[in-house]
């Protein structure tokens, strides 16, 4: 028996959150695979690099933005570079380091992934919740995600 554990409502919320995340991500990943597109992790990395533009990001900055473990990020970046969607550039401030930047091909593949991802988000959330419910859910989840 748990001492001072969460109440039943909290456990039910946790289970629903985990299940909803798993189901939604599986649907998105399945749709991407059916379209012959790379996994969602590519989209997330490419989107972060696209947002910052030409200057790119240092690997630790991308890691922080994505909340990946470093070893996972290194493998992902290697695959992105090999595919030609990201390039490594020397860092002007630190000759030992490098900056990651999205390429033209990376911009194109990110847009292709979005063409599948956007309807998947709509199907998973937009078609199931009212706008007010979506706003409330976003606010509640942001409170859970807040690390402060």
């Amino acid at each position: 028996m748990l001492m001072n554990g969460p109440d039943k409502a909290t456990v039910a919320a946790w289970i629903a959150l985990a299940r909803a995340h798993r189901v939604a991500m599986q649907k998105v990943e399945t749709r991407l695979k059916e379209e012959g597109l790379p996994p969602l992790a590519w989209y997330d990395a490419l989107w972060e690099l696209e947002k910052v533009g030409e200057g790119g990001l240092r690997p630790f900055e991308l890691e922080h933005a994505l909340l990946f473990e470093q070893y996972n990020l290194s493998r992902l970046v290697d695959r992105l570079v090999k595919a030609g969607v990201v390039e490594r550039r020397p860092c002007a401030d630190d000759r030992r380091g490098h900056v990651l930047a999205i390429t033209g091909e990376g911009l194109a593949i990110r847009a292709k992934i979005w063409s599948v991802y956007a309807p998947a988000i709509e199907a998973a959330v937009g078609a199931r919740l009212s706008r007010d419910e979506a706003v409330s859910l976003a606010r509640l989840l942001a409170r859970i995600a807040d690390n402060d």
Side-chain angles (χ1 to χ4, degrees), residues 41-102:
W42 282 42
Y43 179 88
D44 293 341
L46 293 172
W47 177 237
E48 291 299 329
L49 293 171
E50 183 175 337
K51 287 191 305 186
V52 298
E54 285 289 317
L57 291 172
R58 299 283 302 267
F60 74 88
E61 294 169 320
L62 182 58
E63 178 182 355
H64 180 73
L66 299 175
L67 303 177
F68 274 115
E69 295 296 329
Q70 196 280 327
Y71 65 89
N72 288 335
L73 180 64
S74 294
R75 285 186 282 209
L76 175 62
V77 167
D78 288 345
R79 288 191 299 271
L80 294 171
V81 169
K82 185 176 179 181
V85 297
V86 168
E87 64 183 10
R88 286 187 178 100
R89 297 179 183 161
C91 180
D93 298 338
D94 177 4
R95 292 185 183 176
R96 295 172 297 166
H98 61 273
V99 173
L100 303 170
I102 193 168

Side-chain angles (χ1 to χ4, degrees), residues 13-63:
W14 175 258
I15 290 168
L17 174 64
R19 186 171 288 138
H21 178 264
R22 187 184 77 240
V23 168
M25 291 298 102
Q26 285 175 342
K27 287 181 181 180
V28 171
E29 292 289 2
T30 297
R31 288 182 182 186
L32 291 173
K33 192 172 187 176
E34 289 171 353
E35 295 295 323
L37 293 169
L40 197 52
W42 282 42
Y43 179 88
D44 293 341
L46 293 172
W47 177 237
E48 291 299 329
L49 293 171
E50 183 175 337
K51 287 191 305 186
V52 298
E54 285 289 317
L57 291 172
R58 299 283 302 267
F60 74 88
E61 294 169 320
L62 182 58
E63 178 182 355

